[in-house]
Amino acid sequence: MRTILPFTILAAILSGANAIHLLGRVNPSNQELTWPGTGISFSFTGTTATIHLNTITGTNSAELTTDGIATIIPNINTTSITTPANLTHGTHTITLRKRSEALYGSLTIGNITTDGTLIPDAPPSRKIEVIGDSITVGYGLDGTLPCTNSAALENNPKTYAALSAQALKADYSIIAWSGIGLTRNYVSTTPDPSPVMPVRWTRYGANDADDSYTFPKAAVPDVVVINLGTNDFSYLGVREPLNATVYTDAMVEFVGVVNKHYPDATFFLVTSPMLSDAYPEGQAQKYTQTSALKAAIEVLGGMEVKVHLVEWPTQGSDVGCDYHPNAATHAVEAEVLADAIAEVMSW
Ligand SMILES: *[C@@H]1O[C@H](CO)[C@@H](O)[C@H](O)[C@H]1NC(C)=O
Ligand SMILES: *[C@@H]1O[C@H](CO)[C@@H](O)[C@H](O)[C@H]1NC(C)=O
Ligand SMILES: *[C@@H]1O[C@H](CO)[C@@H](O)[C@H](O)[C@H]1NC(C)=O
Ligand SMILES: *[C@@H]1O[C@H](CO)[C@@H](O)[C@H](O)[C@H]1NC(C)=O
């Protein structure tokens, strides 16, 4: 007589290994993909697998990667996503990630079905969390100025954030929202009631209640990258230029809060490729932001927070929608960030 363990028990016994991994900040109780880059990954032995979607709100773009080959789904409009029809029988690794951000829509992952069996595997042990605005979302990345951004033109998997994490063989979680700031959001003539990042960062799903995130131990990052300020600096014709001291103080406070949740994390503060010293004239915004971040790092160093500056040059004239960094700029930025993290972390 032999005993057959149900698959779920077997999977639990294989320590650290699970058959299905939620990627990024995803609440396992509802499996809703909100933040850009969130998704699911698994391996199976067989010829086909299907990811069922329970709910789809708004418009969502995703990337399905099968054994390293990516297929773009510009607009998810079916209730399931199936692997390519030509897979041969064998073991295949599947990743589905959102390319677009929560302000366009969300997806709820349902069951995974396959003609074969799911294979437990262990996720990478290195973890990076990247906190940012439209640059980190991948807003307009697939467009060429002039263009109107859409879920289909956002491309989170091609952002500096995703590429640097991949180069470092790290799991990554991206907490990003277009137009968001550290102290104030993108300049607009009508009041913008949406929360700034220190508030939105406390949410599990991007549209959940404030303070809903539970900081599960398994998701605590080794590295936190913060790329905020581009929107804070916008002002022309509507409001006063940003007070750099207010920005420095807010960065010190926010990093302090994040560090309380992740006491062992090392922080990397990134300068904006969209700020320049030439425009608006007389503002030296690039210099001002860089100096303000250096000032924050000095204060944080005194608080024994491990924190580093990563300087990116102002981008060139080839840009995506609304002057956002394009794929080439993101690829260059990814190398600069990955090199900085590799050196500090000995990764
Ligand atoms: C679904 O989206 C695809 C592109 O991803 C498009 O070709 C197809 O026409 C759409 N189908 C419906 C029913 O909208
Ligand atoms: C399956 O088809 C896709 C495109 O339709 C192709 O990129 C891929 O290489 C094919 N895979 C195999 C195993 O033939
Ligand atoms: C998903 O799997 C559960 C557990 O096996 C099952 O009860 C449920 O009916 C499945 N849902 C769908 C939509 O197939
Ligand atoms: C900038 O903010 C600091 C700190 O809140 C304040 O002391 C200072 O007066 C402000 N400077 C200007 C020019 O408003």
Side-chain angles (χ1 to χ4, degrees), residues 46-61:
T47 60
T48 181
T50 297
I51 302 166
H52 298 271
L53 304 173
N54 286 344
T55 57
I56 304 171
T57 62
T59 55
N60 300 273
S61 168

Side-chain angles (χ1 to χ4, degrees), residues 40 170 230 245 257 294:
I40 186 169
T230 307
T245 308
V257 169
K294 285 180 179 165

Side-chain angles (χ1 to χ4, degrees), residues 209-220:
D210 295 347
D211 296 315
S212 49
Y213 190 50
T214 56
F215 300 97
K217 265 212 179 77
V220 171

Side-chain angles (χ1 to χ4, degrees), residues 73-75 77:
I73 307 165
N75 176 19
N77 56 12

Side-chain angles (χ1 to χ4, degrees), residues 191-226:
D192 174 3
S194 57
V196 290
M197 188 51 97
V199 175
R200 200 179 286 277
W201 179 80
T202 68
R203 299 176 175 188
Y204 218 140
N207 291 309
D208 289 351
D210 295 347
D211 296 315
S212 49
Y213 190 50
T214 56
F215 300 97
K217 265 212 179 77
V220 171
D222 310 293
V223 163
V224 177
V225 176
I226 300 179

